[in-house]
Amino acid sequence: MSEQESLRCSSARNRGGVQRVEGKLRASVEKGDYYEAHQMYRTLFFRYMSQAKHAEARELMYNGALLFFSYNQQNSAADLSMLVLEVLEKSETKVEDDILESLAKLFGQMDQNSPERVAFVSRALKWSTGGSGKLGHPKLHQLLAVTLWKEQNYSESRYHFLHSSDGEGCAQMLVEYSASRGFRSEVDMFVAQAVLQFLCLKNKNSASVVFSTYTEKHPSIEKGPPFVQPLLNFIWFLLLAVDGGKLTVFTVLCEQYQPSLKRDPMYNEYLDRIGQLFFGVPPKQSPSYGGLLGELTKTFHLMGNGTFKMNHLDTGSSKNLVGLRLNSNVPGCQM
């Protein structure tokens, strides 16, 4: 018998052994002997781990957790879910889509208000990046975001979408979030914040996708660009400016749209970071008057372009907004 055939036979025997054990444990759970079954799962977990049978341990704990969830035994299920993560950590298992999907499934079964759920997702995200200081694997964030979206936990879903690469899914969630929880006057603010935050995370592609998808699918937004809402026009021009990388264009946009940007005090904070990432603006050294925008304006005038203030542009007029995009012969305004 070849070595490969031997490994296959060994794997089949192990799988058969796991199935027999699972059958006995399932019978205990079905009889209502939850405590005894839980303790037996834990005993088998440590036995398998001591024998370096990591795949068997992970499979047994995963199936056991789902079994306990099906009987609403949340504490036992959550404990076995944590043991699944322990296997992944100690065996240094590589990140694969099927494993991420299994973790997201366990997360989706947990009680939404349990502290164990918070601990589980934090640990799962840490494992998914190899224990590094990163914020978690984008695919796992996307799976978590979708789960939370289904639960109508829009705020948490939004956080995980921001750390994924799923701009389209994020936009569709935001449309539902805005329609069900927001005011009609805030339809532009839902997507503006998301775009600015994606840009702060240097995810330009998702920023563009979330903006185009949201403005196309939201029932309260008239087709554009240009748009009726000045804030949406600002975001549209900002995305064009990011592609062009021209500091003068970025400066003028921020100046002209200050009335819209003042609707949320965080917008200028985001723009500080965007200026640093995409336009080479140095970080602020002190909280001087006017912040980054004041410094940009001063720099802009020192460059000898102070006459270009676009006073002709009415930021509340969609007709005039087109002028910024089309008037490419104006110095410093090629996007």
Side-chain angles (χ1 to χ4, degrees):
M1 181 183 295
S2 68
E3 182 178 352
Q4 189 174 6
E5 289 174 336
S6 177
L7 287 172
R8 278 201 301 267
C9 290
S10 176
S11 176
R13 284 194 300 271
N14 289 335
R15 178 74 189 109
V18 171
Q19 286 179 329
R20 286 192 296 274
V21 168
E22 283 186 324
K24 294 179 180 179
L25 291 171
R26 179 176 293 276
S28 294
V29 172
E30 289 173 349
K31 288 191 298 182
D33 296 333
Y34 304 125
Y35 177 80
E36 291 79 0
H38 181 204
Q39 293 306 308
M40 183 56 69
Y41 271 108
R42 291 184 62 84
T43 298
L44 290 169
F45 169 79
F46 292 113
R47 181 181 301 171
Y48 281 145
M49 292 296 287
S50 67
Q51 297 171 356
K53 294 182 177 180
H54 300 131
E56 291 85 351
R58 190 178 84 222
E59 180 183 2
L60 186 63
M61 295 306 105
Y62 174 71
N63 291 336
L66 293 180
L67 178 61
F68 278 116
F69 278 130
S70 70
Y71 282 84
N72 199 31
Q73 296 298 304
Q74 283 283 329
N75 291 337
S76 295
D79 180 63
L80 298 191
S81 298
M82 289 296 190
L83 294 180
V84 171
L85 290 175
E86 188 171 329
V87 179
L88 295 174
E89 293 162 350
K90 291 185 175 179
S91 63
E92 298 182 354
T93 304
K94 292 183 179 179
V95 176
E96 296 179 355
D97 283 356
D98 62 331
I99 297 177
L100 296 179
E101 288 166 4
S102 68
L103 294 179
K105 186 171 183 178
L106 292 174
F107 172 80
Q109 295 288 320
M110 290 184 182
D111 185 282
Q112 298 176 22
N113 299 312
S114 68
E116 290 82 7
R117 195 186 208 201
V118 176
F120 176 83
V121 73
S122 175
R123 193 168 166 185
L125 287 168
K126 185 176 181 180
W127 167 79
S128 73
T129 50
S132 69
K134 295 180 181 179
L135 294 171
H137 196 285
K139 175 67 175 179
L140 182 55
H141 275 296
Q142 192 265 343
L143 293 168
L144 296 171
V146 170
T147 299
L148 290 160
W149 177 12
K150 291 177 181 177
E151 296 173 1
Q152 297 185 332
N153 188 342
Y154 299 113
S155 179
E156 291 295 321
S157 173
R158 185 179 170 286
Y159 167 81
H160 289 290
F161 269 125
L162 283 170
H163 294 287
S164 75
S165 300
D166 187 4
E168 184 174 355
C170 182
Q172 292 174 339
M173 182 277 294
L174 288 173
V175 169
E176 184 178 309
Y177 190 9
S178 168
S180 62
R181 304 283 174 84
F183 296 105
R184 186 180 178 89
S185 60
E186 297 174 339
V187 294
D188 50 352
M189 298 181 75
F190 278 82
V191 70
Q193 187 183 48
V195 170
L196 294 173
Q197 289 181 336
F198 268 124
L199 290 175
C200 286
L201 293 168
K202 216 169 183 180
N203 190 342
K204 185 171 65 174
N205 181 63
S206 293
S208 297
V209 171
V210 75
F211 180 74
S212 60
T213 305
Y214 182 91
T215 53
E216 177 186 338
K217 294 185 177 297
H218 201 293
S220 297
I221 294 177
E222 295 182 17
K223 189 174 182 180
F227 302 94
V228 172
Q229 298 92 339
L231 184 59
L232 293 182
N233 286 308
F234 170 77
I235 296 297
W236 173 42
F237 288 131
L238 176 64
L239 290 168
L240 293 171
V242 165
D243 282 333
K246 294 185 181 296
L247 176 60
T248 51
V249 176
F250 177 65
T251 305
V252 171
L253 279 174
C254 292
E255 279 188 309
Q256 292 294 314
Y257 281 92
Q258 271 305 293
S260 294
L261 297 176
K262 287 179 180 177
R263 293 171 64 192
D264 186 330
M266 285 303 299
Y267 288 165
N268 284 326
E269 296 293 325
Y270 298 142
L271 290 167
D272 283 353
R273 182 61 179 157
I274 291 166
Q276 294 165 27
L277 291 173
F278 296 100
F279 300 97
V281 177
K284 289 188 296 183
Q285 299 300 315
S286 62
S288 58
Y289 176 75
L292 175 69
L293 294 179
E295 290 301 313
L296 283 176
T297 303
K298 183 166 64 177
T299 303
F300 185 50
H301 286 291
L302 288 173
M303 291 168 63
N305 294 308
T307 55
F308 176 47
K309 293 187 178 181
M310 290 162 46
N311 290 327
H312 66 284
L313 182 63
D314 175 7
T315 54
S317 166
S318 297
K319 179 180 179 181
N320 287 331
L321 280 164
V322 184
L324 177 60
R325 178 69 183 101
L326 299 181
N327 194 7
S328 58
N329 61 338
V330 178
C333 197
Q334 290 84 3
M335 295 191 186

